[in-house]
Amino acid sequence: MNIQEAKEQIEKAVKIYLEKDAYGNYRIPIARQRPVFLLGAPGIGKTAIMEQIAADMDLALVSYSMTHHTRQSALGLPFISHKNYGGMEFDVSEYTMSEIIASVYEMMERTGKKEGILFLDEINCVSETLAPSMLQFLQYKTFGKHRVPEGWVVATAGNPPQFNRSVREFDVVTMDRMKVLEVEADYDAWRAYAVNRGIHGSVITYLDIKKNDFYVIENTVDGKSYVTARGWEDLSETIYLYEENEFEVDEILVGQYLRNRRICREFAAYYDLYQKYKKDYQVHQILSGQAGADIYRRAKKAGFDERLSLIGLLLDAIQIEIRDNIHLEDALRRQLLILKDVKKELEDLKQWEMENVLNVFQSKWESLEQQIVCEDEAGSLSEIEKRELQMVIEALHQDARAVHVENITRPKDVIDLIRKRFDREVTQMKAVRAGISEKLSNLFSFVEKTFGAGNEMLVLVTDLTVNRNSAAFIARCGCREYEKYNKQFQIYERQQEIEDAVQKLQL
């Protein structure tokens, strides 16, 4: 299965493992809750999906790599305990709490979350002395005498032996205590993630053209040659920062992430071509509706690879603006709820002094800062949510500074100041949104005039649909051209399904 299918399977497993009956008992007893075992090649996103699942399901996440653990660190250290049995004194060996189990309790204490996922990576690389204890852990969720707290689901992952020399193949007895999910690299599944993650357009369009280059592990005369999903994502983030700093993206840089000479060389060459297309086609002129006749002529004559790159360039440019606008609106929505609380607290102040006013703002931003720390440690806060909360905190700081500098002494004036600043930001956000809507219409107009309703339009509509930000933007603001072609392609797809079904019946 691909990584998306594995994610869905894990989410279902976590959900049923946490289900309780009317008396508060788990529907599936702890001993029958088989840990999920993600078995797949390195770099395909096994750890990333655990983080996504924890964030999506609002669960805490504790991750451990088992490669460095010894019997002592996993089970705890021995100590002598004095016992009295039948009136006689005995010295008995006991163990301190496992480092792994203790970290779960610490997470619960810090975050207040009583349910979560304990993710043990590289579980098939445990030391020989620890291996026998893993059998007991996988079934009863205990290390020594200490059990994983109720409400915590165990998930594990590992690489097949051909990718890791430290791997010890599990026997049937061990495998029979786990839910085994064999995960394979799948570009189409990763692409949906990449579009939403904001992977650089050059990476996506290159892989659209050369899907077989997405994941490659080979043995060559020079040693191991490999390209992984992790490598593409890390390269994408680096490219963005190199472009911001005006550093050259060349084969030397690409080779640090893509450890295959051919793919490294071809992607570096494609990146240069991608940048040339950006300059030649004047993407911002197309989006502003000012594309010249020469741009239309060149696009019409272009080969399919060049057309695909052009669509990627246009989408890349507009998706960045859409993403920023959606995140700003969501942050403003969060901010509005907080500001309503601030307004009520200001109105309820018995002593109207500057210190008391500033304390209202401070208590709010400190509460949000604590929320970020707790949810960040629990692994249940996405980067987007974190950024939105930070934007709210910055707005509270800004309001407090303005109140202090202007020395405002009346409740009504403070509330008016907050309202004016907030309304100003909302107006600016809506103005930018109107501009984006116009660019989106210009984009559809360009593709329609140049390519008609062909594959290029299908790629455009599909990517706008798959990307959560653009889908949300269109849902909130509407887009007549999108609705037109989305409906048309859905009808076409349904016709294809019917034709395929008829063909099967005839056969």
Side-chain angles (χ1 to χ4, degrees), residues 338-396:
I338 299 296
L339 293 180
K340 284 180 178 179
D341 290 340
V342 170
K343 177 177 178 289
K344 185 177 183 306
E345 290 185 28
L346 288 172
E347 290 172 340
D348 292 343
L349 278 178
K350 294 179 180 178
Q351 291 185 325
W352 189 258
E353 296 176 359
M354 182 61 68
E355 184 180 353
N356 295 336
V357 174
L358 296 179
N359 283 341
V360 171
F361 289 101
Q362 185 174 350
S363 66
K364 286 298 176 188
W365 75 57
E366 285 180 350
S367 175
L368 291 174
E369 287 170 347
Q370 185 60 35
Q371 180 183 343
I372 290 174
V373 171
C374 289
E375 293 190 11
D376 220 7
E377 288 183 349
S380 59
L381 185 69
S382 70
E383 286 299 316
I384 294 170
E385 291 170 327
K386 184 177 181 179
R387 198 175 304 117
E388 289 172 4
L389 289 170
Q390 289 170 336
M391 290 170 72
V392 176
I393 292 169
E394 177 55 33
L396 291 170

Side-chain angles (χ1 to χ4, degrees), residues 88-272:
M88 298 182 66
E89 296 288 335
F90 295 93
D91 289 336
V92 180
S93 294
E94 292 194 29
Y95 285 86
T96 58
M97 181 176 282
S98 162
E99 176 188 322
I100 297 171
I101 305 295
S103 65
V104 174
Y105 281 104
E106 287 173 6
M107 178 66 74
M108 293 167 66
E109 289 292 321
R110 288 198 306 271
T111 65
K113 295 191 175 185
K114 303 303 180 186
E115 294 183 333
I117 299 172
L118 173 57
F119 177 56
L120 304 181
D121 200 4
E122 308 293 352
I123 195 166
N124 51 353
C125 293
V126 295
S127 64
E128 193 171 339
T129 56
L130 183 57
S133 301
M134 292 306 300
L135 205 60
Q136 179 189 24
F137 174 76
L138 292 172
Q139 180 155 356
Y140 298 106
K141 320 303 180 293
T142 61
F143 276 127
K145 288 187 176 181
H146 303 105
R147 172 177 285 183
V148 175
E150 287 192 351
W152 282 73
V153 176
V154 178
T156 67
N159 303 132
Q162 63 267 33
F163 299 113
N164 192 331
R165 294 177 183 175
S166 303
V167 165
R168 300 174 63 258
E169 286 196 69
F170 285 148
D171 53 29
V172 174
V173 175
T174 305
M175 295 291 279
D176 194 39
R177 283 165 168 75
M178 297 187 289
K179 287 165 63 78
V180 182
L181 302 177
E182 294 190 32
V183 186
E184 296 177 348
D186 183 291
Y187 173 64
D188 292 329
W190 183 82
R191 190 184 190 281
Y193 162 81
V195 167
N196 282 290
R197 181 68 175 167
I199 298 298
H200 198 278
S202 62
V203 171
I204 293 178
T205 50
Y206 174 84
L207 292 174
D208 282 342
I209 298 166
K210 299 187 176 185
K211 292 184 179 182
N212 290 336
D213 288 353
F214 168 59
Y215 196 96
V216 176
I217 295 183
E218 299 173 338
N219 284 314
T220 69
V221 291
D222 297 321
K224 286 280 186 182
S225 169
Y226 56 90
V227 174
T228 69
R230 183 191 294 125
W232 286 114
E233 185 169 356
D234 292 347
L235 175 61
S236 167
E237 291 187 8
T238 303
I239 289 174
Y240 277 123
L241 292 173
Y242 262 55
E243 289 176 345
E244 284 181 23
N245 288 279
E246 298 183 354
F247 296 158
E248 183 184 0
V249 176
D250 55 16
E251 192 173 330
I252 296 174
L253 172 70
V254 175
Q256 296 166 34
Y257 296 89
L258 309 181
R259 303 296 296 158
N260 178 291
R261 287 185 179 179
R262 178 190 62 80
I263 296 174
C264 169
R265 184 173 59 252
E266 291 182 4
F267 175 76
Y270 176 79
Y271 176 82
D272 290 341

Side-chain angles (χ1 to χ4, degrees), residues 47 67 110 122 157 170 243 255 284 301 343 422 464 497:
T47 304
T67 51
R110 288 198 306 271
E122 308 293 352
F170 285 148
E243 289 176 345
H284 293 294
K301 293 179 180 178
K343 177 177 178 289
F422 181 78
L464 289 172
E497 289 175 6

Side-chain angles (χ1 to χ4, degrees), residues 271-281 298 313:
Y271 176 82
D272 290 341
L273 190 62
Y274 186 83
Q275 295 300 103
K276 183 176 183 299
Y277 289 155
K278 184 186 290 187
K279 192 178 296 182
D280 291 350
Y281 280 107
R298 174 170 177 172
L313 279 166

